[in-house]
Amino acid sequence: MGEIKVLGAFASFYAYRVEWALLHKGVKYEYIDEDLKNKSPLLLKCNPVHKKVPVLLHGEKPIAESLVILEYIDDTWKENPLLPQDPLERAKARFWAKFADEKCYSSIRTAFRSEGKDQEKALEESLEALKILEEELKGKEFFGGESVGFVDLVVGWIPHWLPLFEEVFGFKLLDANTFPSLHAWGDRFLNVPFIKEKLPPSDKLLVIFTNVRKGWLNK
C-alpha cells in the first residue's frame, strides 16, 4: 500500500496521536523528527498551507492535520477501528474530539500564555471544559467505551503532558478529587501497551516546556 512516514516533533502531542493510531493498527512506519525552528524542505512541500506537524506520508500522498490523519488511518486500515460504525456515534466522537481541541486545550494553552485577569479567566474556562469531559467519561473505561478509540487518542495529552505543564507553570488543574473519572482514565490510558511504548520522556519535556515558558514571559 506504499511506504508510511510520519513527520513529527518530539514534544508535539498532535504527532503522537498519529503514531499511536498507527501502532494500534499494527502499521509499520518511519518517523522523521522535524526541527520546527528550521523546517525541512520535505515538511514545507508536504504541508505548504500550515507548515506544521504532523504530516502522514502514504507513499507519495501527504495528509496534514492530526484529526484528518486519524480518520484517514481509520478508513485505510480497518483493524482495531478508532471510530464507531454507527453514524450517530461517529458524529459524537468527532464532536468530542473537536471540543477537546477547540475548548479544552485552547483554554489551557491560553492560561499558560497569559497573566493576571486574562489568566484567571482562561483557568476558569479550562476547568469548565475539563468538567464537561469528566461528565462525558463517567461510567466508561475509555471515551471509546471498553477500549481506546478516536477521542482517547485526541485527549491522550492530558495524563502525560498536562501534569508537566502544571509543574512548569505552577498551578493545578487536574485534581484527582475534582476529576476522578479523568484521573482514573488517565492511569488506564498510560498503561495501554501501545501508548506506554510511545511516550516522550517527562524529564526532556520539562526542559522544553521550561524554555518555552521563559520565551513567552520575555515577549
Side-chain angles (χ1 to χ4, degrees):
M1 294 182 70
E3 186 179 18
I4 310 300
K5 296 180 181 179
V6 176
L7 308 186
F10 173 77
S12 171
F13 58 76
Y14 296 107
Y16 280 88
R17 294 172 178 175
V18 175
E19 292 195 81
W20 290 335
L22 291 171
L23 288 169
H24 188 39
K25 299 278 189 177
V27 178
K28 293 183 178 179
Y29 65 95
E30 176 188 352
Y31 175 76
I32 300 172
D33 194 59
E34 285 285 335
D35 178 358
L36 299 182
K37 293 181 180 179
N38 184 25
K39 298 174 183 178
S40 72
L42 179 61
L43 175 59
L44 298 177
K45 176 185 176 183
C46 292
N47 191 1
V49 176
H50 297 298
K51 303 177 178 64
K52 295 179 179 179
V53 297
V55 174
L56 179 75
L57 272 172
H58 188 183
E60 298 299 317
K61 299 179 294 185
I63 303 97
E65 297 295 301
S66 65
L67 298 187
V68 175
I69 296 171
L70 290 185
E71 293 214 38
Y72 178 85
I73 289 171
D74 207 34
D75 289 339
T76 304
W77 293 279
K78 301 301 183 182
E79 304 85 354
N80 301 320
L82 299 174
L83 283 163
Q85 293 300 309
D86 180 74
L88 177 59
E89 295 303 316
R90 291 171 72 89
K92 287 180 180 178
R94 292 186 181 107
F95 170 85
W96 286 113
K98 189 174 182 181
F99 172 84
D101 274 358
E102 294 185 359
K103 296 296 183 182
C104 189
Y105 177 64
S106 178
S107 58
I108 290 173
R109 186 173 183 269
T110 300
F112 292 143
R113 299 192 67 165
S114 57
E115 295 178 310
K117 290 185 178 180
D118 289 340
Q119 187 180 71
E120 289 178 13
K121 180 182 177 183
L123 286 172
E124 288 176 5
E125 292 174 353
S126 301
L127 288 169
E128 186 60 35
L130 288 171
K131 286 177 184 176
I132 292 171
L133 286 182
E134 171 78 10
E135 287 298 316
E136 171 60 18
L137 187 57
K138 276 186 178 178
K140 302 177 185 177
E141 290 288 302
F142 296 97
F143 285 94
E146 295 182 358
S147 60
V148 169
F150 187 78
V151 180
D152 297 282
L153 299 187
V154 173
V155 298
W157 61 273
I158 290 176
H160 190 67
W161 277 256
L162 182 54
L164 302 176
F165 292 159
E166 292 173 333
E167 183 174 339
V168 170
F169 289 88
F171 49 75
K172 186 73 174 175
L173 286 171
L174 195 64
D175 181 78
N177 293 322
T178 307
F179 302 106
S181 296
L182 273 172
H183 196 268
W185 163 82
D187 288 340
R188 286 192 293 271
F189 181 81
L190 293 180
N191 280 289
V192 172
F194 72 88
I195 300 295
K196 199 172 184 178
E197 75 172 84
K198 183 57 65 175
L199 286 170
S202 296
D203 57 343
K204 293 184 179 180
L205 283 180
L206 271 176
V207 172
I208 292 171
F209 296 159
T210 299
N211 290 334
V212 167
R213 181 173 188 267
K214 289 178 181 176
W216 286 344
L217 293 177
N218 289 332
K219 286 183 178 180

